[in-house]
Amino acid sequence: MTRFYLFFSFIFLSLSSFAQHKIYLIRHANVDIEKPGWSNAKSAQIFKEEYNRSDIQEFDPELVLSKIDNTEKIDAIFCSPQLRAIQTADILFDKQVIRRIDTNLMEFDYSVNRIPLIRLPVNTWLAMSRISWMIGNSISKKPTYRERKDNLEIFVDEIIEHAEKNGKSVVVAHGMLNRELIRILKKKGWTFENKDGFGNLSVNCLIK
């Protein structure tokens, strides 16, 4: 009986060692805020700040959870500390699920470029300012793009370690942030099982 038990324990452990680990990256739900049309730089910056403070819109959690294996076995998730990510996580997961909230998962942040006497669509202001920040031309006191990327390169090892111990990691964060996480994970040998884009409530799954 003892040999029988040891044999099947060995088989189970051997199969487990070959099981693929998964990392799910979820983008937060839509934010309940109306985007202005053409505006100056100051108005675009005000919109950006209000976006960070606004609540999310209601959504059906099952549309998201159906894309994740064995959600009932999830006991911890990684989450951005920003309101829209926390509210999304609260709707998706039971209160008993531990939220490992970390500032490294905050959306990449930048200030809107101050160009006087010009009116542009808000999306144009944000795109121009984001590009300026990413190439290092921003004079903002916020962390640089390089600093955020370097910190994320280190933090991603915690996400990987959790996936290797528990079979999966689940991250609730942001569009730009999730793009960078995917880039880092692919460098470390992870590949897409499911590519869902980067819209709100998208679920991208990488495996290894």
Side-chain angles (χ1 to χ4, degrees), residues 1-205:
M1 186 66 180
T2 302
R3 290 181 180 179
F4 179 82
Y5 174 78
L6 290 174
F7 173 75
F8 277 95
S9 296
F10 173 77
I11 294 297
F12 175 78
L13 291 172
S14 297
L15 291 174
S16 298
S17 66
F18 288 104
Q20 288 183 315
H21 305 117
K22 298 186 178 185
I23 296 177
Y24 293 93
L25 305 178
I26 304 171
R27 187 186 176 190
H28 63 81
N30 285 301
V31 176
D32 193 14
I33 185 173
E34 184 175 349
K35 184 174 291 185
W38 290 63
S39 61
N40 57 27
K42 182 178 180 180
S43 296
Q45 180 64 40
I46 290 173
F47 165 77
K48 192 169 181 295
E49 292 167 359
E50 289 180 347
Y51 182 86
N52 286 332
R53 295 191 295 265
S54 297
D55 295 325
I56 61 171
Q57 297 176 358
E58 293 183 5
F59 67 93
D60 181 358
E62 289 305 317
L63 296 177
V64 179
L65 296 175
S66 64
K67 302 175 185 179
I68 303 173
D69 295 337
N70 302 318
T71 55
E72 70 281 357
K73 295 183 179 180
I74 295 173
D75 58 6
I77 63 169
F78 294 86
C79 187
S80 160
Q82 289 173 282
L83 179 63
R84 55 193 182 273
I86 292 174
Q87 289 183 337
T88 301
D90 285 346
I91 292 174
L92 288 174
F93 299 101
D94 187 273
K95 295 293 184 182
Q96 301 302 316
V97 173
I98 297 170
R99 284 145 178 76
R100 297 176 61 172
I101 296 174
D102 196 283
T103 56
N104 284 298
L105 294 175
M106 291 179 65
E107 179 61 295
F108 288 163
D109 196 15
Y110 52 87
S111 296
V112 174
N113 291 341
R114 292 301 179 94
I115 306 175
L117 306 177
I118 293 180
R119 294 179 66 82
L120 296 168
V122 167
N123 282 346
T124 303
W125 280 115
L126 298 180
M128 287 187 350
S129 303
R130 180 171 62 248
I131 292 170
S132 178
W133 175 72
M134 291 177 74
I135 63 178
N137 287 342
S138 174
I139 59 174
S140 170
K141 295 181 180 180
K142 298 178 186 294
T144 66
Y145 179 51
R146 171 55 60 186
E147 289 170 339
R148 289 297 313 274
K149 284 176 43 173
D150 288 346
N151 290 337
L152 200 57
E153 290 262 8
I154 297 170
F155 179 73
V156 78
D157 288 337
E158 292 188 30
I159 298 174
I160 292 172
E161 181 181 6
H162 183 86
E164 290 174 343
K165 288 183 177 179
N166 300 278
K168 68 169 72 69
S169 283
V170 175
V171 180
V172 181
H174 309 270
M176 285 179 62
L177 193 285
N178 285 351
R179 284 188 182 94
E180 191 61 35
L181 279 175
I182 288 171
R183 185 192 66 80
I184 295 170
L185 289 167
K186 288 174 73 174
K187 281 175 54 179
K188 293 178 177 289
W190 292 73
T191 58
F192 275 113
E193 179 187 65
N194 176 58
K195 191 172 184 179
D196 200 24
F198 296 98
N200 293 100
L201 297 175
S202 58
V203 181
N204 288 287
C205 179

